[in-house]
Amino acid sequence: MSENVNEIEIAEKIELTEDEFLSVSRRCRYNKFIADFYDDMAEEYSYAIGNQSDGSFIYAPDESFIKKAQALRECSKNWSFDLFSKAGVKNLIRINRCRDRFCLNCQALAADQRFVQYSKVLDSYACDYDLYHIVLTVPNVDAINLSDTITLMLDKFSYFVRFFDGRKKIRNLDFKRFGYVAAVRELEITISKKNGTYHPHLHTLFVLKKNLNFEPVYWNRFSEDRRGKNPTRLFSYFELMIQRIWCLLIMQETVTKYNIENIGEVLPQYPDGFSCIADLSNGDYHEIFKYAIKGTYKEETLFTKEAFKTMYRALYQRKVYETFGDLRRFDFNTFDESLGFNSPDEAFELFLARLQSEELPQRVEEQLSDILKTKFSDEERQFKYVSRSTFVKHFKALSDEDKQDELQKLQKLLN
């Protein structure tokens, strides 16, 4: 094993840890609840397939829901590796995944992969523009109104963007000064643990002119966190304007300069509009790459049959992401699962090439439950579990100088 010391050293740096395997297992524990809900829906949406001798109908459950339930129950149980026996390395090739919208594990992985792919796109604007994370909310709604409220929000957001791109004007208000270039919005829904109401909101990113200097100097009723956990927040004029315009749009009132400035007369119940914030992203795009029900899982409020059915119907055939302006050429709802950072990908390929120069790998299949039982026992410690994604994370965390050293080290291994 002495000639493989370098490979082992690298493998140790990028090894999948016990916590990472446990995280997958923990996230998948919710799938049994969702699968049961799908089974219930299969019966609820059953259809007649014939008649019995007594004239009564024979019903069959909806197979599409049964397949969803089966996929959720099997999600992430089976893992495929390429085993390099001499180096004691198992390289992850694939995990069976259900890719269901309600699978916490699949959606968490998809969010990470989407971040890898599209954060580079957003970074490309950062030199010439400022990117603002703008959150648009509405008051909580009950189950019966959730779907219609989401439809209204998505429709009005498209209208909202038209003020920025100049297709829609507000007399005596100049939106050109913001230098709008592009926007992307992401839909998220949470459920109140207190009363079971639904809180749909939009995480958006706007690409605007640099150095707009939105100074936070205004106080309103949204300034103090009602939970008492955060200090008072002051707002900029830009945020006040967004709070009021967004409220007028959702309440389907005419958006004029007078109505914006005197919203308390037009909508006495909303004297400051709706709660909305705008912050410079400073390269932090994680909020925009979340998935539609992340907050719901965090609060563990989804796991009643009625809540699930409400969310399923509200999200049915909806796109979580929508892009505008210069970003319209990208569809944030899709992503290339194999795409990573070029340098880490190159480095990882060098690492694999070194392993393959010593031996051809053997494809092996393992159950997640077995990995958790045996991976960290004494007799299994000679194997290092690695993956492309862990290599990317390790490589990204290095300084530019260390990245070059790592690449040179791997290059030398091939000589």
Side-chain angles (χ1 to χ4, degrees):
M1 295 290 288
S2 59
E3 71 268 21
N4 292 319
V5 170
N6 286 326
E7 293 98 294
I8 293 174
E9 287 176 351
I10 294 168
E12 286 175 346
K13 293 178 182 178
I14 64 173
E15 185 178 10
L16 285 159
T17 66
E18 182 180 16
D19 283 345
E20 288 172 296
F21 283 106
L22 286 171
S23 291
V24 173
S25 181
R26 289 189 194 104
R27 289 194 293 254
C28 285
R29 77 184 188 273
Y30 294 115
N31 284 2
K32 63 181 180 181
F33 299 104
I34 306 300
D36 288 344
F37 295 151
Y38 275 136
D39 283 338
D40 289 340
M41 291 182 73
E43 295 297 330
E44 183 178 338
Y45 288 90
S46 60
Y47 53 93
I49 58 173
N51 295 328
Q52 300 189 77
S53 57
D54 62 0
S56 61
F57 289 109
I58 302 173
Y59 289 91
D62 189 318
E63 284 291 329
S64 64
F65 290 114
I66 291 176
K67 289 179 180 178
K68 286 176 179 289
Q70 290 173 340
L72 275 156
R73 291 189 175 102
E74 294 300 315
C75 184
S76 300
K77 285 187 176 180
N78 300 311
W79 297 54
S80 298
F81 298 92
D82 273 353
L83 169 62
F84 296 90
S85 298
K86 290 182 181 179
V89 171
K90 292 180 180 180
N91 175 43
L92 179 62
I93 301 301
R94 69 176 296 274
I95 309 170
N96 75 303
R97 289 168 52 193
C98 66
R99 292 176 172 79
D100 192 276
R101 174 170 276 177
F102 291 91
C103 174
L104 175 58
N105 188 60
C106 286
Q107 292 306 317
L109 292 173
D112 288 343
Q113 290 165 334
R114 189 177 285 109
F115 175 81
V116 167
Q117 182 165 346
Y118 291 112
S119 62
K120 294 185 295 182
V121 172
L122 298 176
D123 279 340
S124 68
Y125 290 93
C127 289
D128 300 315
Y129 304 96
D130 279 335
L131 280 66
Y132 284 86
H133 175 214
I134 299 176
V135 184
L136 303 172
T137 75
V138 299
N140 284 18
V141 296
D142 54 22
I144 198 170
N145 290 311
L146 178 61
S147 187
D148 287 344
T149 299
I150 292 173
T151 299
L152 178 65
M153 291 174 69
L154 301 188
D155 177 62
K156 293 303 182 183
F157 181 76
S158 296
Y159 196 92
F160 181 67
V161 169
R162 292 169 65 187
F163 292 128
F164 284 87
D165 67 20
R167 287 178 294 159
K168 187 68 178 175
K169 300 184 185 302
I170 304 173
R171 183 179 296 180
N172 297 323
L173 277 183
D174 179 21
F175 274 78
K176 287 184 180 179
R177 64 191 170 117
F178 301 129
Y180 165 84
V181 173
V184 56
R185 65 98 185 132
E186 180 260 349
L187 169 66
E188 184 177 355
I189 308 168
T190 57
I191 309 175
S192 169
K193 243 183 174 181
K194 184 177 180 180
N195 57 22
T197 57
Y198 296 81
H199 179 57
H201 52 284
L202 303 180
H203 287 277
T204 76
L205 208 66
F206 276 72
V207 182
L208 304 178
K209 186 169 68 175
K210 241 185 182 351
N211 301 319
L212 286 170
N213 191 27
F214 296 137
E215 187 178 358
V217 294
Y218 299 97
W219 182 95
N220 66 19
R221 68 191 185 105
F222 304 123
S223 290
E224 294 183 4
D225 189 322
R226 293 179 182 179
R227 296 170 297 179
K229 294 183 179 180
N230 296 320
T232 298
R233 174 185 176 123
L234 297 178
F235 295 104
S236 65
Y237 172 78
F238 180 66
E239 288 174 301
L240 295 187
M241 185 179 67
I242 287 172
Q243 291 169 354
R244 297 178 179 210
I245 291 176
W246 181 241
C247 178
L248 290 168
L249 287 172
I250 295 299
M251 299 305 294
Q252 304 188 66
E253 295 286 348
T254 305
V255 181
T256 64
K257 188 172 186 290
Y258 180 86
N259 285 352
I260 293 170
E261 293 176 347
N262 300 278
I263 193 170
E265 295 178 16
V266 183
L267 297 167
Q269 69 274 43
Y270 302 116
D272 292 314
F274 289 162
S275 177
C276 304
I277 60 172
D279 293 310
L280 275 170
S281 68
N282 292 321
D284 182 5
Y285 312 127
H286 283 88
E287 289 293 329
I288 203 69
F289 291 116
K290 294 194 297 186
Y291 42 99
I293 53 176
K294 180 177 181 181
T296 297
Y297 277 105
K298 185 177 179 181
E299 297 297 328
E300 296 187 348
T301 51
L302 176 62
F303 303 107
T304 68
K305 183 164 63 175
E306 289 308 312
F308 172 76
K309 287 164 63 176
T310 296
M311 296 283 274
Y312 182 87
R313 291 164 181 161
L315 291 170
Y316 183 68
Q317 292 189 335
R318 292 194 196 272
K319 289 186 175 182
V320 173
Y321 292 89
E322 188 174 6
T323 51
F324 301 83
D326 199 46
L327 286 171
R328 283 187 69 87
R329 57 202 170 141
F330 302 102
D331 182 3
F332 281 35
N333 295 284
T334 62
F335 52 88
D336 182 351
E337 292 191 15
S338 67
L339 187 62
F341 298 89
N342 291 332
S343 294
D345 271 353
E346 177 188 354
F348 189 71
E349 290 302 327
L350 290 172
F351 172 66
L352 290 182
R354 171 58 181 169
L355 294 174
Q356 291 166 357
S357 70
E358 295 292 325
E359 61 179 316
L360 292 176
Q362 175 189 355
R363 184 63 53 88
V364 295
E365 306 290 331
E366 297 187 26
Q367 295 275 313
L368 176 59
S369 57
D370 292 334
I371 295 172
L372 290 170
K373 287 177 184 176
T374 64
K375 172 177 165 49
F376 302 99
S377 62
D378 290 340
E379 62 269 22
E380 287 290 326
R381 285 187 186 277
Q382 69 268 30
F383 290 109
K384 308 293 182 192
Y385 288 75
V386 303
S387 74
R388 183 180 299 272
S389 64
T390 55
F391 197 99
V392 168
K393 288 178 183 177
H394 160 69
F395 200 91
K396 188 184 177 188
L398 298 175
S399 66
D400 290 340
E401 183 179 348
D402 288 341
K403 286 176 185 176
Q404 290 304 314
D405 288 344
E406 199 93 336
L407 281 171
Q408 289 173 10
K409 186 186 300 182
L410 287 163
Q411 290 278 13
K412 288 178 181 177
L413 288 175
L414 288 177
N415 296 329

